[in-house]
Amino acid sequence: MKNTLKKVTEDNNLSLAGDTVLSVSNLGKKFTRNLKRSLYYGMCDISSDLFLQNRSSSVLRKGEFWALKDISFQLQRGESLGVIGANGAGKTTLLRLISGIIKPDTGNIAFKGNIAPLISLNAGFSPVLTGRENITSNLAILGLNASRIKKVFNSVIDFAGIEEAIDAPVQTYSAGMVARLGFSCAVHSNPTILIIDEILAVGDINFRLKCYHKLHELRQS
């Protein structure tokens, strides 16, 4: 079964109506808990893709299970969506699929604009680079050009509130400092869709309130 993750542009035939910025349709993702079997299935899938062979992504193979199955929803401009569930329910898997970090086995994902994912603390950061250097590289990954990065650079540092450590390697940062820097980069990239996992849980109460206020501003705009 064909699966897709597409950014909607004028150049393709996929379109999202009105203020819809994200559409997830019949999304499914399967895994296996056995490492050797997982590696074997991965090699089989890669071979099938290389040789343009059809594979039955909708059928479970021996040892596989559905982490997500038949998930469908749409997100409108200005809306917020919370995903709630027990450990192992597939929440982070869903966010990783939408972010394009992993590919779905079934279904389609379509979105407008750009996505800024905050899935894990170290995502997009090099531990050996300084905070200052990581800001530049992270904003570039999020799609900002050099002039835009220069324009928001100082605002990113000010919002993160880690000026005294900005020229130190990120590997010396605490979890809270990394979260501050990651969130600040994400919100200053002016994303159409901002995806946040549990990254803000490591921040102190003052920074979390600051983040909630910033999220409110983003929703209003």
Side-chain angles (χ1 to χ4, degrees), residues 143-195:
L144 276 67
N145 57 33
S147 61
R148 179 62 180 167
I149 291 174
K150 184 177 180 180
K151 184 176 181 180
V152 302
F153 194 90
N154 289 332
S155 297
V156 172
I157 297 176
D158 290 342
F159 188 91
I162 56 171
E163 295 88 347
E164 71 284 354
I166 200 63
D167 291 309
V170 165
Q171 63 188 1
T172 66
Y173 288 13
S174 67
M177 292 168 69
V178 176
R180 285 170 174 263
L181 192 60
F183 185 89
S184 187
C185 286
V187 295
H188 284 90
S189 68
N190 193 29
T192 308
I193 302 168
L194 178 63
I195 297 178

Side-chain angles (χ1 to χ4, degrees), residues 27-204:
L27 195 66
K29 183 64 181 178
K30 55 188 179 180
F31 294 113
T32 176
R33 294 186 175 92
N34 183 281
L35 179 58
K36 290 183 179 181
R37 192 180 297 276
S38 177
L39 293 173
Y40 172 72
Y41 287 156
M43 293 301 297
C44 291
D45 293 342
I46 292 173
S47 298
S48 297
D49 292 340
L50 285 175
F51 293 102
L52 302 178
Q53 297 174 342
N54 291 326
R55 52 188 174 94
S56 300
S57 298
S58 60
V59 178
L60 288 178
R61 293 170 290 195
K62 183 178 179 180
E64 287 186 325
F65 66 95
W66 288 107
L68 293 171
K69 195 171 191 295
D70 298 331
I71 304 297
S72 299
F73 64 89
Q74 290 188 338
L75 188 67
Q76 308 299 315
R77 185 177 300 277
E79 285 186 337
S80 294
L81 174 66
V83 184
I84 301 172
N87 290 339
K91 303 183 297 298
T92 299
T93 297
L94 175 61
L95 300 185
R96 287 177 179 271
L97 287 166
I98 296 172
S99 303
I101 298 172
I102 57 177
K103 291 178 60 177
D105 286 306
T106 62
N108 303 289
I109 301 171
F111 63 94
K112 293 178 182 175
N114 62 310
I115 294 178
L118 286 170
I119 305 296
S120 63
L121 283 178
N122 295 321
F125 288 147
S126 170
V128 297
L129 296 181
T130 66
R132 188 180 300 276
E133 292 165 335
N134 268 296
I135 290 174
T136 300
S137 62
N138 192 259
L139 290 178
I141 291 172
L142 292 173
L144 276 67
N145 57 33
S147 61
R148 179 62 180 167
I149 291 174
K150 184 177 180 180
K151 184 176 181 180
V152 302
F153 194 90
N154 289 332
S155 297
V156 172
I157 297 176
D158 290 342
F159 188 91
I162 56 171
E163 295 88 347
E164 71 284 354
I166 200 63
D167 291 309
V170 165
Q171 63 188 1
T172 66
Y173 288 13
S174 67
M177 292 168 69
V178 176
R180 285 170 174 263
L181 192 60
F183 185 89
S184 187
C185 286
V187 295
H188 284 90
S189 68
N190 193 29
T192 308
I193 302 168
L194 178 63
I195 297 178
I196 304 175
D197 203 351
E198 298 172 336
I199 186 171
L200 295 184
V202 300
D204 58 52

